PDB file of all heavy atoms in Angstrom:
ATOM      1  N   PHE A 818       9.644 -15.952  18.696  1.00 63.00           N
ATOM      2  CA  PHE A 818       9.174 -15.026  19.718  1.00 63.00           C
ATOM      3  C   PHE A 818       7.792 -15.468  20.183  1.00 63.00           C
ATOM      4  O   PHE A 818       6.776 -14.848  19.911  1.00 63.00           O
ATOM      5  CB  PHE A 818       9.144 -13.585  19.198  1.00 63.00           C
ATOM      6  CG  PHE A 818      10.510 -13.003  18.988  1.00 63.00           C
ATOM      7  CD1 PHE A 818      10.784 -12.250  17.865  1.00 63.00           C
ATOM      8  CD2 PHE A 818      11.518 -13.197  19.916  1.00 63.00           C
ATOM      9  CE1 PHE A 818      12.045 -11.703  17.664  1.00 63.00           C
ATOM     10  CE2 PHE A 818      12.787 -12.660  19.719  1.00 63.00           C
ATOM     11  CZ  PHE A 818      13.038 -11.914  18.593  1.00 63.00           C
ATOM     12  N   ASN A 819       7.774 -16.595  20.872  1.00 66.00           N
ATOM     13  CA  ASN A 819       6.562 -17.163  21.441  1.00 66.00           C
ATOM     14  C   ASN A 819       6.998 -17.977  22.648  1.00 66.00           C
ATOM     15  O   ASN A 819       8.045 -17.702  23.223  1.00 66.00           O
ATOM     16  CB  ASN A 819       5.814 -18.003  20.385  1.00 66.00           C
ATOM     17  CG  ASN A 819       6.728 -19.012  19.703  1.00 66.00           C
ATOM     18  OD1 ASN A 819       7.546 -19.663  20.353  1.00 66.00           O
ATOM     19  ND2 ASN A 819       6.607 -19.149  18.399  1.00 66.00           N
ATOM     20  N   ASN A 820       6.262 -18.969  23.050  1.00 66.00           N
ATOM     21  CA  ASN A 820       6.659 -19.790  24.196  1.00 66.00           C
ATOM     22  C   ASN A 820       7.723 -20.789  23.736  1.00 66.00           C
ATOM     23  O   ASN A 820       7.452 -21.967  23.539  1.00 66.00           O
ATOM     24  CB  ASN A 820       5.440 -20.507  24.783  1.00 66.00           C
ATOM     25  CG  ASN A 820       5.771 -21.168  26.103  1.00 66.00           C
ATOM     26  OD1 ASN A 820       6.799 -20.891  26.709  1.00 66.00           O
ATOM     27  ND2 ASN A 820       4.896 -22.042  26.559  1.00 66.00           N
ATOM     28  N   HIS A 821       8.915 -20.287  23.574  1.00 63.00           N
ATOM     29  CA  HIS A 821      10.046 -21.042  23.037  1.00 63.00           C
ATOM     30  C   HIS A 821      11.273 -20.716  23.883  1.00 63.00           C
ATOM     31  O   HIS A 821      11.403 -19.585  24.364  1.00 63.00           O
ATOM     32  CB  HIS A 821      10.259 -20.626  21.575  1.00 63.00           C
ATOM     33  CG  HIS A 821      11.315 -21.411  20.873  1.00 63.00           C
ATOM     34  ND1 HIS A 821      12.647 -21.096  20.954  1.00 63.00           N
ATOM     35  CD2 HIS A 821      11.225 -22.504  20.070  1.00 63.00           C
ATOM     36  CE1 HIS A 821      13.350 -21.964  20.229  1.00 63.00           C
ATOM     37  NE2 HIS A 821      12.501 -22.819  19.685  1.00 63.00           N
ATOM     38  N   PRO A 822      12.189 -21.659  24.100  1.00 63.00           N
ATOM     39  CA  PRO A 822      13.373 -21.380  24.918  1.00 63.00           C
ATOM     40  C   PRO A 822      14.148 -20.137  24.474  1.00 63.00           C
ATOM     41  O   PRO A 822      14.631 -19.371  25.310  1.00 63.00           O
ATOM     42  CB  PRO A 822      14.228 -22.642  24.762  1.00 63.00           C
ATOM     43  CG  PRO A 822      13.242 -23.725  24.463  1.00 63.00           C
ATOM     44  CD  PRO A 822      12.151 -23.064  23.660  1.00 63.00           C
ATOM     45  N   LEU A 823      14.258 -19.912  23.168  1.00 64.00           N
ATOM     46  CA  LEU A 823      14.984 -18.743  22.682  1.00 64.00           C
ATOM     47  C   LEU A 823      14.326 -17.451  23.165  1.00 64.00           C
ATOM     48  O   LEU A 823      15.000 -16.528  23.617  1.00 64.00           O
ATOM     49  CB  LEU A 823      15.057 -18.749  21.157  1.00 64.00           C
ATOM     50  CG  LEU A 823      15.765 -17.554  20.533  1.00 64.00           C
ATOM     51  CD1 LEU A 823      17.235 -17.535  20.938  1.00 64.00           C
ATOM     52  CD2 LEU A 823      15.626 -17.568  19.034  1.00 64.00           C
ATOM     53  N   ALA A 824      13.009 -17.381  23.098  1.00 66.00           N
ATOM     54  CA  ALA A 824      12.291 -16.185  23.556  1.00 66.00           C
ATOM     55  C   ALA A 824      12.511 -15.966  25.044  1.00 66.00           C
ATOM     56  O   ALA A 824      12.710 -14.831  25.490  1.00 66.00           O
ATOM     57  CB  ALA A 824      10.809 -16.310  23.244  1.00 66.00           C
ATOM     58  N   HIS A 825      12.513 -17.026  25.811  1.00 61.00           N
ATOM     59  CA  HIS A 825      12.736 -16.894  27.258  1.00 61.00           C
ATOM     60  C   HIS A 825      14.160 -16.405  27.537  1.00 61.00           C
ATOM     61  O   HIS A 825      14.374 -15.573  28.421  1.00 61.00           O
ATOM     62  CB  HIS A 825      12.470 -18.222  27.962  1.00 61.00           C
ATOM     63  CG  HIS A 825      11.033 -18.636  27.907  1.00 61.00           C
ATOM     64  ND1 HIS A 825      10.050 -18.032  28.653  1.00 61.00           N
ATOM     65  CD2 HIS A 825      10.410 -19.582  27.161  1.00 61.00           C
ATOM     66  CE1 HIS A 825       8.884 -18.588  28.393  1.00 61.00           C
ATOM     67  NE2 HIS A 825       9.083 -19.534  27.485  1.00 61.00           N
ATOM     68  N   LEU A 826      15.123 -16.898  26.807  1.00 67.00           N
ATOM     69  CA  LEU A 826      16.507 -16.463  26.999  1.00 67.00           C
ATOM     70  C   LEU A 826      16.718 -15.004  26.607  1.00 67.00           C
ATOM     71  O   LEU A 826      17.535 -14.303  27.195  1.00 67.00           O
ATOM     72  CB  LEU A 826      17.451 -17.346  26.182  1.00 67.00           C
ATOM     73  CG  LEU A 826      17.650 -18.765  26.689  1.00 67.00           C
ATOM     74  CD1 LEU A 826      18.401 -19.596  25.660  1.00 67.00           C
ATOM     75  CD2 LEU A 826      18.394 -18.759  28.006  1.00 67.00           C
ATOM     76  N   MET A 827      15.990 -14.540  25.611  1.00 66.00           N
ATOM     77  CA  MET A 827      16.195 -13.186  25.099  1.00 66.00           C
ATOM     78  C   MET A 827      15.378 -12.125  25.823  1.00 66.00           C
ATOM     79  O   MET A 827      15.577 -10.933  25.593  1.00 66.00           O
ATOM     80  CB  MET A 827      15.897 -13.140  23.604  1.00 66.00           C
ATOM     81  CG  MET A 827      16.917 -13.928  22.796  1.00 66.00           C
ATOM     82  SD  MET A 827      16.766 -13.680  21.039  1.00 66.00           S
ATOM     83  CE  MET A 827      17.349 -12.018  20.867  1.00 66.00           C
ATOM     84  N   GLN A 828      14.481 -12.502  26.731  1.00 68.00           N
ATOM     85  CA  GLN A 828      13.642 -11.531  27.422  1.00 68.00           C
ATOM     86  C   GLN A 828      14.461 -10.412  28.047  1.00 68.00           C
ATOM     87  O   GLN A 828      14.130  -9.239  27.901  1.00 68.00           O
ATOM     88  CB  GLN A 828      12.824 -12.206  28.519  1.00 68.00           C
ATOM     89  CG  GLN A 828      11.552 -12.821  28.036  1.00 68.00           C
ATOM     90  CD  GLN A 828      10.787 -13.449  29.184  1.00 68.00           C
ATOM     91  OE1 GLN A 828      11.369 -13.920  30.157  1.00 68.00           O
ATOM     92  NE2 GLN A 828       9.479 -13.472  29.068  1.00 68.00           N
ATOM     93  N   SER A 829      15.510 -10.768  28.756  1.00 67.00           N
ATOM     94  CA  SER A 829      16.302  -9.740  29.441  1.00 67.00           C
ATOM     95  C   SER A 829      17.067  -8.864  28.461  1.00 67.00           C
ATOM     96  O   SER A 829      17.336  -7.696  28.757  1.00 67.00           O
ATOM     97  CB  SER A 829      17.265 -10.380  30.439  1.00 67.00           C
ATOM     98  OG  SER A 829      18.164 -11.239  29.767  1.00 67.00           O
ATOM     99  N   ASP A 830      17.412  -9.380  27.293  1.00 67.00           N
ATOM    100  CA  ASP A 830      18.143  -8.579  26.302  1.00 67.00           C
ATOM    101  C   ASP A 830      17.387  -7.310  25.934  1.00 67.00           C
ATOM    102  O   ASP A 830      17.961  -6.230  25.843  1.00 67.00           O
ATOM    103  CB  ASP A 830      18.416  -9.382  25.021  1.00 67.00           C
ATOM    104  CG  ASP A 830      19.439 -10.474  25.230  1.00 67.00           C
ATOM    105  OD1 ASP A 830      20.039 -10.546  26.314  1.00 67.00           O
ATOM    106  OD2 ASP A 830      19.632 -11.257  24.295  1.00 67.00           O
TER     107      ASP A 830
END
Side-chain angles (χ1 to χ4, degrees):
F818 290 138
N819 51 42
N820 190 14
H821 185 276
L823 179 64
H825 293 287
L826 288 170
M827 292 190 71
Q828 275 181 329
S829 61
D830 290 353

